Amino acid sequence: MGRQHLYRPVIADATSADAAAVVALWHACGLTRPWNDPDADFARALAGAGSTILVARRAAVPVGSVMVGHDGHRGWLYYLAVRPDLQGQGIGTALFAAAEHWLRDRSVPKLQLMVRTDNDAAIRFYHRLGLGRQEVVVLGRFLDIAT
């Protein structure tokens, strides 16, 4: 028997008051890395004109989140997370759909995300949602930004 979808979560834009709970959720889901400051990522997403964080709540408590943004052509999803004990109940799927809707409302033609190659569970999740591997290589480097 498949996993049950127990309820439809309430999803809304995050506020700065959600920062601690959402960042704790990202840590609990193993999405953070030492070289990324999740608190700064949260603040930048809320401050940006082309980005936000959507939060799924149960009894007003954040239980899932997704960061969504765009550059006008490509929409990007980051930090899609659901509290580990609530995974498999449709919250992640609802968050993904809400992020896709957010991008469609802004006429963004393409949705993309990056998944670490060793995260097989996430890759399977996104495949079930109809995403496929893209024939690209992601290149990058860190910029030394004086604070």
Side-chain angles (χ1 to χ4, degrees):
M1 184 167 161
R3 294 182 178 189
Q4 292 182 333
H5 297 269
L6 301 178
Y7 73 102
R8 179 175 290 283
V10 175
I11 298 174
D13 288 340
T15 69
S16 58
D18 294 314
V22 170
V23 169
L25 174 67
W26 295 346
H27 283 294
C29 292
L31 298 179
T32 60
R33 295 296 182 266
W35 52 86
N36 287 343
D37 179 350
D39 293 295
D41 288 347
F42 185 97
R44 275 191 294 271
L46 290 192
S51 59
T52 195
I53 296 171
L54 302 174
V55 177
R57 300 176 195 281
R58 177 181 276 178
V61 176
V63 296
S65 73
V66 62
M67 181 186 295
V68 59
H70 70 91
D71 60 15
H73 175 69
R74 289 181 178 90
W76 289 90
L77 303 188
Y78 303 92
Y79 291 115
L80 194 150
V82 174
R83 205 170 79 186
D85 63 317
L86 297 177
Q87 292 176 3
Q89 298 183 21
I91 300 168
T93 300
L95 282 163
F96 182 90
E100 186 173 23
H101 182 79
W102 188 93
L103 292 168
R104 286 181 191 277
D105 281 352
R106 287 152 183 83
S107 301
V108 178
K110 185 175 185 183
L111 179 150
Q112 296 185 165
L113 53 90
M114 295 180 283
V115 178
R116 291 183 179 88
T117 57
D118 64 346
N119 193 342
D120 294 327
I123 292 169
R124 286 190 305 274
F125 171 76
Y126 291 119
H127 279 183
R128 285 193 304 273
L129 295 177
L131 280 76
R133 289 185 186 262
Q134 304 287 296
E135 294 299 320
V136 298
V137 174
V138 177
L139 305 171
R141 71 172 164 196
F142 291 99
L143 301 175
D144 293 329
I145 300 173
T147 56

